[in-house]
Amino acid sequence: IIFGSGTVNLVTDEVLKELGMDSQDQADEEIVEKKGNLISRAVKTLSDIFVPIVPAIVAGGLLMGINNVLTAQGLFFANKSLIEAYPMWKDFATIINLFSNAAFTFLPILVGFSATKKFGGNPYLGAVMGMIMVHPDLLNAYQIGIADPPVWNILGLNVAAIGYQGTVLPVLAISWIIANIEKRLRKVTPSWLDNLTTPLLS
């Protein structure tokens, strides 16, 4: 059955309401979430957010290990690393280092996607929020102390334009906020405007 953009969200919400659920993911989790105290539910929420991105983090960590083997001083040769002894492997080590850092440098994007999905919002809006937080126009968080951050003047407030590379808590908070804004907007936005204004305002 094809309802069309916007209307499909209203139909889905109505079906979920009839089933007594707030979100699609609640079907499998409803019984589990009713059990246990607030702490256990919070731990489960965090595990549901981070478990899907663990493979990316594990892969990045293993690649960091390979990079350390290639660049560690004195591991195979006295006072010399493997790539210093064999310079032809230098570019390979550089690529490995780039691959290993990617998941951690852009961690807010992964967390934003997963968390917003868990909180019942559009995961792609969460990913975009993560992208904003690590945008190249912001000073890389790893470079604080090396360079002075640019400052924005917003309504009389000086806001340092610094990125959130490698952070978790800010993007978790943003994901919860954007998911709740989106859910509330969907309730009051006409179906023909929903796909345009809801993502924009969120």
Side-chain angles (χ1 to χ4, degrees):
I1 303 172
I2 301 173
F3 294 106
S5 61
T7 305
V8 69
N9 295 319
L10 299 175
V11 174
T12 301
D13 291 342
E14 193 61 35
V15 171
L16 291 171
K17 191 189 299 179
E18 290 295 319
L19 295 174
M21 292 178 280
D22 295 327
S23 67
Q24 296 178 36
D25 293 334
Q26 188 178 350
D28 297 329
E29 300 168 3
E30 190 177 47
I31 297 173
V32 178
E33 289 188 354
K34 284 182 179 176
K35 296 179 180 177
N37 57 25
L38 183 63
I39 295 174
S40 64
R41 291 201 304 270
V43 169
K44 186 187 182 318
T45 298
L46 288 175
S47 69
D48 289 343
I49 291 169
F50 287 101
V51 165
I53 65 177
V54 163
I57 294 172
V58 169
L62 291 173
L63 286 170
M64 281 184 178
I66 294 171
N67 180 66
N68 289 341
V69 168
L70 294 172
T71 58
Q73 295 284 334
L75 188 61
F76 295 103
F77 306 97
N79 301 319
K80 191 184 286 188
S81 68
L82 195 60
I83 60 171
E84 287 173 341
Y86 299 99
M88 72 282 287
W89 292 101
K90 184 177 180 181
D91 290 339
F92 180 72
T94 302
I95 291 172
I96 291 291
N97 186 47
L98 185 146
F99 288 1
S100 68
N101 287 330
F104 299 99
T105 301
F106 299 105
L107 186 62
I109 298 173
L110 298 175
V111 175
F113 183 95
S114 185
T116 307
K117 182 178 180 182
K118 172 63 182 172
F119 294 137
N122 185 326
Y124 296 98
L125 290 181
V128 169
M129 292 307 300
M131 292 174 196
I132 292 170
M133 297 174 83
V134 294
H135 196 282
D137 284 354
L138 301 175
L139 177 69
N140 191 307
Y142 298 129
Q143 294 179 330
I144 296 175
I146 299 173
D148 292 328
V151 177
W152 293 326
N153 187 285
I154 301 174
L155 301 176
L157 297 174
N158 289 328
V159 180
I162 300 174
Y164 289 84
Q165 286 81 4
T167 62
V168 168
L169 294 180
V171 72
L172 278 177
I174 289 294
S175 299
W176 183 82
I177 291 168
I178 196 171
N180 280 279
I181 290 173
E182 182 188 1
K183 286 189 286 188
R184 283 166 173 75
L185 284 173
R186 289 204 186 282
K187 292 178 182 177
V188 298
T189 305
S191 61
W192 59 277
L193 265 179
D194 189 40
N195 276 358
L196 295 175
T197 60
T198 299
L200 173 66
L201 295 174
S202 298

